[in-house]
Amino acid sequence: MVDRLARAAGDGDVAVVRRLLGSGAEVDGPVRAGRTALDLAVHAGHAETVGVLLAAGADLRQRAGEYAESTPLCLAAMCGHTAVVKVLLEAGAPTGAQGRMGYVPLVLAATTGEQGHPHIVDLLLRHGVDINRVMKDKTALEWAAGFGLVQMTHHLLARGATPTAKALSEARAGAKRSLKAAVNYALVIDALHATGVEG
């Protein structure tokens, strides 16, 4: 029954998920690959299914992701699933460093995808997350600058991220590593210089 629950959750089949839970399926029972129904529903972006699983007692802090390196909120933030992030936050998901890798949801939202996920960044900030929270000794802005993410750099600065000499240093180091992205890094450096930061 756990395999059927996980499959239905991954498919977003809310009716089947409800029926299986009502029949006694273990909400956080892992399938052969070690992933749970909540993990698979989050990964696939099925917000309603996530809500049903949480209401049935699914653990917000469980390990998630292909290698169990993440958590439901981190996975949703990385995948860009805004509606799922909203459901998890409203259910009380933790927003600090989490999972085996010490991931910070805000940093993941700011740096995954082509230009990060600004809507998720904003949602996390509305839930009181500190924009200058650090993951592996760098803030979201410093990570974004290091990746040459022009739009996200501007977005974070507009939302009040602290411009730092470290962000500038990360952008300069990125420019040296990737000549193909030189234009992007130049724009990031310009944005940081415009704030008055030096280094």
Side-chain angles (χ1 to χ4, degrees):
M1 196 154 37
V2 169
D3 283 346
R4 287 165 58 204
L5 177 66
R7 190 163 52 250
D11 291 341
D13 193 334
V14 179
V16 172
V17 168
R18 287 186 197 277
R19 190 173 73 244
L20 290 168
L21 289 170
S23 298
E26 185 185 347
V27 68
D28 282 335
V31 294
R32 284 189 200 93
R35 303 186 77 172
T36 65
L38 179 63
D39 183 1
L40 295 169
V42 166
H43 186 258
H46 299 307
E48 185 180 0
T49 305
V50 169
V52 168
L53 292 166
L54 292 174
D59 181 7
L60 281 167
R61 298 170 183 267
Q62 66 181 264
R63 288 186 176 185
E66 189 175 357
Y67 304 104
E69 77 286 5
S70 193
T71 62
L73 182 58
C74 286
L75 186 60
M78 281 190 287
C79 293
H81 298 319
T82 308
V84 174
V85 170
K86 186 171 188 292
V87 170
L88 291 167
L89 287 172
E90 288 174 352
T95 58
Q98 53 200 267
R100 288 190 300 113
M101 309 298 288
Y103 289 140
V104 171
L106 178 68
V107 174
L108 297 178
T111 57
T112 51
E114 286 196 17
Q115 281 295 329
H117 305 292
H119 295 302
I120 294 178
V121 168
D122 291 346
L123 185 54
L124 288 163
L125 294 176
R126 283 198 299 275
H127 273 78
V129 173
D130 177 4
I131 198 168
N132 295 310
R133 183 166 270 167
V134 170
M135 182 178 94
K136 301 186 190 299
D137 298 321
K138 290 189 278 190
T139 65
L141 177 63
E142 289 161 357
W143 280 104
F147 288 138
L149 302 180
V150 181
Q151 293 168 17
M152 184 53 69
T153 296
H154 281 284
H155 189 75
L156 291 167
L157 287 170
R159 292 306 309 269
T162 302
T164 62
K166 189 171 189 176
L168 198 55
S169 172
E170 290 290 330
R172 286 175 176 153
K176 288 177 183 173
R177 284 192 309 270
S178 176
L179 295 177
K180 284 195 293 188
V183 172
N184 285 352
Y185 282 109
L187 292 170
V188 168
I189 290 167
D190 286 348
L192 291 166
H193 277 154
T195 69
V197 70
E198 296 179 3

